[in-house]
Amino acid sequence: MSVLKASSFVRTSKGIFSRTLSSHSAQANVDPSSTPEQKLMKKWGTDSVRIAERLEAGKVKPFNTIPGPKSFSFLGTKPLFWKIVGKYDRNQHMDTYFKFYKEFGQIVREDVHPKHPLVHIYNPADMQTMFIYEGTYPQRYSHMVLEKYRLEKPEVYASGGILPSNGPAWYALRKKFQKSLQDYKEVEKYVGRVEQITDEFLDARMRPGIVEDCSQEIARLFMELTSLVAFDERFYAFSDAELHPESRSGRLMRSASIVNCCIMQTNQNHILWRLFPQLSRAWRKLVVAHAFVEEVALEQIAKKKAYIKEIDATKPENRAPTSILESYLRLKDTDIRDITGMIVDLLLGGSDTITSSMSYMLHNLSRHPEVQDKVYDESLRIQPDHDGKLPHDVAQKATYTSQVIRESLRINPVAIGIGRVLPVDVVMSGYHIPKFTHIVSQNQVACQLPQYFDEPLAFRPERWEKRRYIRSEEHTHEQLVSEKCLSIPFSHGSRVCIAKKVAELDMIVLLLKLCRRYKMEWVGAPKVGMRTVLVHQPDTPIRIKFTERK
């Protein structure tokens, strides 16, 4: 396949599993026969015939010959992950899937249970194939427990929300709500307030000396920034009053962490919480924690609706939305229950994921003073006056800081990779992959392989100054794999993180401000590993010494 065709990444398919289409297509009012998908499905049907012919001729290897760990009758690979007797650890994704790669190669089949084969891919060419054939509605298996919880509360939620949904219903939600979060002009209006809150945080919580665990501190900053962008309201999450564990922000952060942890546990065990939810400890914990996040979201929605009613009655000229929630409430023909789901999802993901990412960034920076100095120099270039304000387009001007973020996310992304369920048969690494097979791209492992990155374990932001090309296996042409397939921490295509630009802005402002004030020195454990609780988190405190710059 040519580079031009590969980089264009096809975006259409004939939907997904029939059960998903039947349950969601009526909601989205989409008629597949009226879309361009028919033509593409004809082409894909031709591809499937060719794959079958090559399979019969022995030019493509059968699916059941893909190497992988031993599977046990009725239990699948579960015994391999049992404590004491197992050889793998389900909570250590990076170590486990690196072992898979070393033992079995660039494509691995894991029979999670007898009827659920999972294919792990490590080759960027296979990842490229996955993205080409993912379709208009990229299908994935994740957050299913959220869908169950929300569909059981139709008075509050119209659907499972943007995280677990698939098919036309997911696409309708995504299309309606993404503009407020993915338009740079929309995000730039928050720069001044993000800078103000970040300065307040540094004054209050990041003083000279040793901070025992930066993760705990910055979690409160990002909760505050989430409340600002989502509601245009201050939670005062890092104030002395809110440091109490039973404060609103304390409970909100703890509840979000519990929900995310329970999502991870239920993703790995599909049976108990579906059939006998009250017997599942993870389900019971999720219900309590999710209810509190939901309570905060509904409270904010009620307050914002009252504010809009008042402002429209008294000052009709001041109609420009000041928050994401207000922009959602001003959308026409929008179900308030869909807005509730979006706000709850913002609260669930607004702190945990970015806190994890920034924790690893601070660890990497504190071990590389030369990188800190370059960020410091960039902050002087962008903001020459110490008492001045950051420009509204700081995210575009902070090129080196963006490279620092990108390099840290290459080494320490929040997730191991990306999951997809393709609607058609494909060939990966010479093997036949039947349609509807669950595939996971192992991006984190691939990003630490020397065939794709020079000195892959070294923290070198400069590697992102220019686009990187690597040669394909056939050496007939070059393919851009680092950007399109390998290092994609915010996911890919139409499933890319909906709050990506907001998260990048928050991280850029914090790094510029932090390096402007302080030099950082790592005084923590010799090695920082990771534990997987839906997202990767450091397994040791982020302990850093801060020294004021003169």
Side-chain angles (χ1 to χ4, degrees):
M1 179 173 291
S2 69
V3 177
L4 180 60
K5 289 182 180 178
S7 62
S8 65
F9 285 161
V10 180
R11 287 286 176 266
T12 51
S13 75
K14 191 185 177 181
I16 50 174
F17 292 116
S18 57
R19 65 172 180 83
T20 308
L21 280 173
S22 61
S23 62
H24 293 305
S25 60
Q27 302 174 36
N29 195 25
V30 173
D31 178 11
S33 64
S34 65
T35 68
E37 296 171 1
Q38 292 294 322
K39 293 182 179 179
L40 186 60
M41 283 309 299
K42 184 177 181 180
K43 175 187 179 302
W44 280 355
T46 303
D47 290 346
S48 297
V49 171
R50 290 174 181 168
I51 291 173
E53 292 173 349
R54 294 171 64 193
L55 189 63
E56 187 175 351
K59 296 179 179 179
V60 173
K61 290 173 276 190
F63 179 69
N64 59 11
T65 63
I66 298 176
K70 182 179 179 180
S71 178
F72 299 85
S73 298
F74 305 109
L75 295 174
T77 57
K78 284 183 174 60
L80 301 179
F81 293 88
W82 288 348
K83 292 183 179 180
I84 303 176
V85 298
K87 61 186 297 189
Y88 306 117
D89 187 346
R90 188 68 77 181
N91 295 322
Q92 297 289 334
H93 278 189
M94 177 61 185
D95 291 343
T96 296
Y97 298 129
F98 211 108
K99 289 178 181 177
F100 278 14
Y101 174 77
K102 289 182 177 179
E103 290 181 45
F104 307 110
Q106 62 186 4
I107 185 167
V108 180
R109 172 177 168 173
E110 178 192 0
D111 291 327
V112 180
H113 58 75
K115 293 185 178 181
H116 185 187
L118 180 64
V119 174
H120 305 271
I121 55 175
Y122 300 81
N123 189 327
D126 292 336
M127 298 176 193
Q128 190 175 70
T129 298
M130 182 177 79
F131 295 139
I132 289 171
Y133 288 95
E134 65 181 6
T136 303
Y137 318 120
Q139 164 89 346
R140 69 174 188 175
Y141 281 144
S142 187
H143 298 71
M144 291 88 72
V145 70
L146 281 187
E147 187 170 45
K148 174 179 171 59
Y149 173 87
R150 294 175 182 178
L151 291 181
E152 291 181 358
K153 302 185 74 172
E155 72 282 3
V156 181
Y157 303 100
S159 67
I162 202 169
L163 294 176
S165 295
N166 289 293
W170 163 81
Y171 184 78
L173 285 174
R174 177 82 188 202
K175 187 176 181 180
K176 181 179 288 289
F177 292 117
Q178 68 182 356
K179 183 179 180 181
S180 298
L181 288 162
Q182 292 203 314
D183 187 333
Y184 264 124
K185 291 184 178 180
E186 290 289 322
V187 173
E188 285 175 354
K189 69 184 182 185
Y190 300 114
V191 171
R193 286 175 287 172
V194 168
E195 180 183 14
Q196 176 191 343
I197 290 175
T198 303
D199 282 333
E200 291 179 13
F201 167 76
L202 294 177
D203 290 338
R205 306 302 305 171
M206 306 294 275
R207 295 169 183 156
I210 295 177
V211 176
E212 293 297 333
D213 190 359
C214 293
S215 295
Q216 299 297 320
E217 302 294 343
I218 60 176
R220 293 189 170 275
L221 168 64
F222 291 126
M223 177 54 67
E224 187 69 11
L225 292 175
T226 298
S227 70
L228 164 74
V229 174
F231 312 124
D232 189 27
E233 179 171 321
R234 297 292 303 269
F235 282 5
Y236 298 100
F238 49 83
S239 65
D240 291 340
E242 286 292 309
L243 295 180
H244 192 279
E246 294 305 313
S247 66
R248 176 173 64 170
S249 58
R251 290 183 64 191
L252 191 55
M253 289 188 293
R254 184 169 67 253
S255 296
S257 295
I258 290 172
V259 170
N260 290 332
C261 181
C262 292
I263 290 171
M264 177 71 179
Q265 294 171 7
T266 53
N267 280 350
Q268 295 175 355
N269 185 352
H270 299 266
I271 300 175
L272 186 62
W273 64 267
R274 285 183 184 276
L275 300 180
F276 310 103
Q278 295 308 317
L279 297 180
S280 168
R281 185 167 178 263
W283 168 262
R284 297 195 304 271
K285 289 173 63 179
L286 179 136
V287 168
V288 175
H290 195 289
F292 181 75
V293 180
E294 179 184 299
E295 178 185 326
V296 173
L298 291 173
E299 175 190 345
Q300 292 298 322
I301 290 171
K303 289 173 64 175
K304 190 59 68 176
K305 287 173 70 176
Y307 165 80
I308 291 173
K309 184 177 180 180
E310 178 184 353
I311 202 73
D312 286 354
T314 58
K315 299 178 181 179
E317 69 278 5
N318 296 337
R319 292 180 61 88
T322 58
S323 67
I324 291 171
L325 175 56
E326 184 176 354
S327 68
Y328 287 170
L329 290 171
R330 291 191 181 278
L331 290 172
K332 295 180 180 179
D333 303 321
T334 302
D335 193 327
I336 190 66
R337 298 175 299 168
D338 285 331
I339 295 175
T340 302
M342 285 298 300
I343 295 302
V344 170
D345 289 342
L346 282 175
L347 290 173
L348 290 177
S351 179
D352 264 17
T353 52
I354 192 171
T355 296
S356 174
S357 299
M358 182 55 68
S359 297
Y360 284 114
M361 285 179 208
L362 294 182
H363 166 248
N364 290 324
L365 274 171
S366 64
R367 288 182 177 272
H368 295 85
E370 74 285 357
V371 176
Q372 296 177 49
D373 290 341
K374 289 183 178 181
V375 176
Y376 170 75
D377 291 340
E378 184 164 77
S379 73
L380 293 180
R381 176 178 59 80
I382 294 173
Q383 188 182 10
D385 185 355
H386 181 73
D387 297 323
K389 300 298 182 182
L390 290 172
H392 69 279
D393 57 348
V394 61
Q396 285 73 52
K397 291 183 176 179
T399 53
Y400 185 76
T401 306
S402 296
Q403 292 169 18
V404 171
I405 293 172
R406 190 165 192 179
E407 177 68 351
S408 184
L409 290 175
R410 178 188 68 85
I411 300 173
N412 304 113
V414 296
I416 192 72
I418 298 171
R420 289 289 186 269
V421 179
L422 302 186
V424 291
D425 292 21
V426 294
V427 175
M428 293 181 172
S429 294
Y431 291 93
H432 170 228
I433 310 295
K435 62 182 179 180
F436 304 147
T437 299
H438 190 189
I439 304 169
V440 176
S441 61
Q442 294 295 334
N443 297 78
Q444 185 177 11
V445 175
C447 281
Q448 298 189 19
L449 297 178
Q451 58 264 44
Y452 305 130
F453 290 92
D454 297 330
E455 298 182 75
L457 300 182
F459 182 69
R460 286 170 37 199
E462 293 76 13
R463 74 170 82 238
W464 297 105
E465 287 179 356
K466 297 180 180 179
R467 290 186 170 187
R468 295 183 61 260
Y469 289 83
I470 67 166
R471 292 195 174 276
S472 66
E473 292 181 357
E474 296 80 11
H475 300 285
T476 57
H477 61 274
E478 293 185 329
Q479 293 176 309
L480 180 61
V481 297
S482 59
E483 290 184 84
K484 295 294 184 182
C485 300
L486 283 175
S487 184
I488 39 179
F490 291 99
S491 193
H492 173 271
S494 55
R495 278 276 189 184
V496 71
C497 173
I498 197 169
K500 173 185 175 182
K501 289 181 173 61
V502 176
E504 289 175 334
L505 173 64
D506 291 348
M507 291 188 286
I508 286 171
V509 172
L510 178 57
L511 291 182
L512 288 173
K513 291 287 183 177
L514 201 55
C515 291
R516 180 75 170 250
R517 292 193 183 199
Y518 299 116
K519 290 186 177 181
M520 293 176 280
E521 178 186 354
W522 178 253
V523 290
K527 182 181 178 182
V528 177
M530 62 177 55
R531 58 191 181 93
T532 306
V533 188
L534 190 62
V535 298
H536 295 328
Q537 295 179 349
D539 62 357
T540 186
I542 303 300
R543 193 168 184 264
I544 296 175
K545 180 180 179 181
F546 292 89
T547 304
E548 278 190 293
R549 289 184 181 270
K550 296 183 179 179

